[in-house]
Each structure stands twice: as C-alpha cells, then as structure tokens.
Amino acid sequence: MYDYDLNLVFTNLESAQAIFDLPNQISSIAIKIESPDLAAKVKNELVTVLGFNYNLKTWEEANQNFFAALKLEKLVMFIILALIILVASFNIISTLIVMVVEKTKDIGILKALGMPSSSVRKIFTYQGMIIGVIGTLSGAFGGIFLCWLLKKYQFIKLPQDIYYIERLPVSIELWPDIILIVSVAMAIVLIATFYPANKAAQLKPVEALRYE
C-alpha cells in the first residue's frame, strides 16, 4: 500500500531511539482494543487518568478527512437513490391516470349510484400504494439479498493501487439506512397517488357516463 509504505517503517524500539537520538524515550503509544467502537470511551477514560498533558486521538479522529468523504458520498448516494425513486413514481402516476381514463364510465356509474368522492379517491390511492409497496419491498429484499451474498462471498475485487483493501466491504444496517430509504420510497409513492386519485374523485357522473 503506497501511502503506508511511503510513511511507515517497522523496526525495534532500540533502533528507532538511536535513529532519532532519543535514548530511553518514546514519542507515542498505540493502543489496540477488542472493539473499534469503544475507541471514544477508552479515550475519555485515558483523559481522566492521564490528564491533558498528552495528545490523544482515536482512529476516527486520525482519519477525519477519509470519514468525512465517506459521509458525503453516502449522502450523495441517498439523494441519487431518492431521485431514482421519484422518477419511478411517475410510472405509478401514468398507470393510475390511464386506469382512470379506462374506468371513467365505471366511476360515473358508481358515483351515480351514490358512491362518495372520498371512496373513489381511496380506491385509486390504495391501488397506487399496493403497486408501490410491492415494488419497494421487492427492491428492498432483493437489495438486502444481494448485499448478503456480497458480504458472504466478497466477489467484487478492488484495485490495490487505489484502495487500501482487497475486497468491497458490506455492512447491512437496518437503521437508518434500510428503514429510511424504504420510508422515503413509500412517502414518494403516496404523494404520487394524490393527483390521479383526485382526478378520479372529481369526475362528475353526467360527464363520466358520456364515455362509451
């Protein structure tokens, strides 16, 4: 790994002290813990014991730029995914509009028999939501399954001259990733049903029955 090979040398403590002319002295100590998630907690405990005479950094603080880039990339990917879902929702809108046109006469008959506009609106809203729920859940379970396969078999290799790792790592997190994406998708689907459902509810029986 180029960056590490350029900056790091492994040697024994005595040789390092001789090179830097620091006999019986050390400039830093690295501590390895069982769980990397406990780094912040361990740091706070060390600050309590050692005081503020030492500069303590966790592995996250030592790589702030890298994690900031990952956070930004994650946000951009979420926005891109939301836009893809938004584009897909237009298919639901067009499907419901076509269905409203095809069922215009039937809607007119139902409204002439006394069905309220709210019931008509609910029918098309529920139909759009059913389409959206099936599509969203199918995509979610399909994505989780593919991520599980990738996590287990790690069949995607990364170029070593660019990345620090050999395989693409996968972390499946129910919250906030999966739940947030599914919730946004369902909200977009619900909003997409409003226009065609309202158009169907606003049809007047006399005008609707003119269609043959």
Side-chain angles (χ1 to χ4, degrees):
M1 298 182 183
Y2 177 78
D3 289 347
Y4 287 96
D5 293 340
L6 183 66
N7 296 288
L8 296 178
V9 174
F10 288 92
T11 183
N12 58 62
L13 181 59
E14 290 77 12
S15 298
Q17 290 174 337
I19 291 173
F20 291 99
D21 193 21
L22 296 172
N24 300 322
Q25 297 183 38
I26 56 176
S27 58
S28 63
I29 297 177
I31 300 176
K32 183 177 180 181
I33 57 180
E34 294 182 356
S35 175
D37 296 330
L38 297 176
K41 180 180 178 182
V42 173
K43 176 189 173 182
N44 293 333
E45 294 176 354
L46 289 175
V47 169
T48 303
V49 175
L50 300 176
F52 296 95
N53 295 325
Y54 298 89
N55 183 19
L56 303 179
K57 285 186 178 181
T58 64
W59 59 276
E60 293 177 317
E61 293 172 344
N63 299 276
Q64 287 184 358
N65 293 336
F66 176 71
F67 289 109
L70 288 180
K71 186 176 181 180
L72 179 61
E73 181 180 353
K74 188 175 181 179
L75 176 62
V76 172
M77 288 301 298
F78 175 78
I79 295 174
I80 293 174
L81 185 59
L83 292 176
I84 293 174
I85 297 172
L86 182 62
V87 172
S89 67
F90 285 103
N91 291 329
I92 297 177
I93 296 175
S94 60
T95 300
L96 292 179
I97 290 176
V98 171
M99 190 169 295
V100 170
V101 174
E102 292 178 348
K103 301 296 182 180
T104 298
K105 186 176 181 180
D106 298 326
I107 295 172
I109 294 173
L110 291 174
K111 297 192 72 172
L113 294 175
M115 176 177 281
S117 298
S118 59
S119 297
V120 177
R121 184 181 295 105
K122 289 179 181 179
I123 290 174
F124 286 93
T125 301
Y126 291 155
Q127 187 163 14
M129 288 300 298
I130 290 173
I131 297 173
V133 168
I134 293 175
T136 301
L137 294 182
S138 299
F141 285 117
I144 293 173
F145 178 69
L146 290 176
C147 289
W148 176 79
L149 289 177
L150 182 58
K151 184 177 182 179
K152 183 175 181 179
Y153 298 105
Q154 296 185 341
F155 47 83
I156 296 182
K157 295 183 179 181
L158 299 176
Q160 289 297 289
D161 56 340
I162 299 177
Y163 298 98
Y164 299 149
I165 51 180
E166 296 181 358
R167 306 284 179 171
L168 180 66
V170 176
S171 176
I172 303 175
E173 297 183 4
L174 184 61
W175 175 260
D177 295 344
I178 297 176
I179 294 179
L180 182 60
I181 292 173
V182 171
S183 300
V184 171
M186 296 305 301
I188 293 176
V189 168
L190 178 62
I191 295 173
T193 62
F194 287 166
Y195 176 75
N198 285 330
K199 294 296 290 184
Q202 292 173 2
L203 285 175
K204 297 180 181 180
V206 177
E207 296 180 356
L209 291 174
R210 292 177 182 175
Y211 289 87
E212 296 294 337

